[in-house]
Amino acid sequence: MESAFEIETRAVFDRHQRQQEDDDHIFDRLTSLIGDDYFGLPSGSFRGLDILDAGCGSNANASYAFLNKGARSVTSLELGDAWMDCARKRLGRFGARSVLVAGSVLDLPFDHRSFDFVHCAGVLPHTSDPQKGSQELVRVTRPGGSFFLTIMGTANGVIYRCINHLRELYQGDEQFRRSVDNLSAATARQAVDWLFGYQGS
């Protein structure tokens, strides 16, 4: 059973994620970031896999990216079912390869060892029991499979404040938007190295 905290948090993210889904440019940019290289995997690594996108969000952008990159099936999981109308707008084109499931990462409705790749981005800090959630995600990962977890709720909210500011700039400043859209992995790495004063050999 979800706590009031989890349900309220889901409602906040639902509003934001629906705005992203309504903007093709933003949605396409989000899905373009979910590539093999982002996960440190060889090209084509998602082809033929059964993937769980746990806490997929209302727009299910990562689920879309995995399906577009050849996953055999992607199960998109999120609290309640109010988000499913939004996710279906993008995922419907994939037919039976896309499965939408209402559920919680704290009590996953799947058998042990159900998935080759489990993805959970920015979800566990918004639950009442992150440790239980991580144990559940490991439980449903197959031997030899991969479990990718992203935690963004760190630095006493500083990271989220930075992210939210950058999102506002991206939406409201055309020049900033073009600059971000033209970033590649190499230019982003150069910018970060410059920011922190790194001197490579």
Side-chain angles (χ1 to χ4, degrees):
M1 183 75 179
E2 299 87 36
S3 69
F5 165 72
E6 289 157 356
I7 293 168
E8 289 168 15
T9 302
R10 170 89 284 275
V12 169
F13 277 94
D14 180 69
R15 288 192 295 273
H16 180 66
Q17 291 158 352
R18 285 175 185 274
Q19 289 173 349
Q20 292 176 334
E21 197 285 327
D22 286 338
D23 187 324
D24 286 341
H25 185 82
I26 291 175
F27 186 84
D28 291 345
R29 183 64 179 165
L30 288 170
T31 57
S32 73
L33 298 173
I34 305 293
D36 307 291
D37 54 343
Y38 175 72
F39 298 98
L41 298 171
S43 180
S45 290
F46 299 122
R47 281 197 290 270
L49 298 186
D50 295 316
I51 296 176
L52 171 63
D53 187 11
C56 63
S58 301
N59 61 26
N61 60 78
S63 297
Y64 181 95
F66 293 134
L67 287 160
N68 214 31
K69 294 180 184 305
R72 181 169 67 174
S73 70
V74 175
T75 299
S76 308
L77 177 128
E78 188 55 83
L79 288 176
D81 57 12
W83 57 277
M84 291 185 182
D85 65 316
C86 185
R88 276 194 193 98
K89 289 180 190 176
R90 299 286 180 171
L91 302 181
R93 65 177 283 219
F94 297 105
R97 291 173 54 215
S98 171
V99 179
L100 307 183
V101 175
S104 169
V105 294
L106 303 183
D107 187 20
L108 292 172
F110 311 115
D111 293 337
H112 289 22
R113 304 175 175 183
S114 293
F115 301 99
D116 302 303
F117 187 89
V118 172
H119 175 251
C120 185
V123 174
L124 291 183
H126 302 293
T127 68
S128 58
D129 192 346
Q131 183 173 356
K132 185 170 191 272
S134 62
Q135 290 168 345
E136 276 290 277
L137 293 163
V138 169
R139 177 183 68 78
V140 301
T141 305
R142 289 176 179 150
S146 300
F147 166 31
F148 187 87
L149 174 69
T150 303
I151 303 291
M152 293 184 286
T154 57
N156 198 25
V158 170
I159 292 173
Y160 263 124
R161 288 178 191 164
C162 292
I163 289 171
N164 287 336
H165 178 66
L166 292 173
R167 281 178 176 151
E168 289 170 9
L169 279 174
Y170 185 80
Q171 290 175 339
D173 184 327
E174 188 61 36
Q175 183 178 359
F176 182 76
R177 187 169 176 153
R178 277 197 308 271
S179 297
V180 170
D181 289 344
N182 290 324
L183 280 177
S184 66
T187 56
R189 195 172 299 114
Q190 288 171 351
V192 170
D193 288 347
W194 173 84
L195 179 65
F196 291 106
Y198 173 76
Q199 298 297 320
S201 54

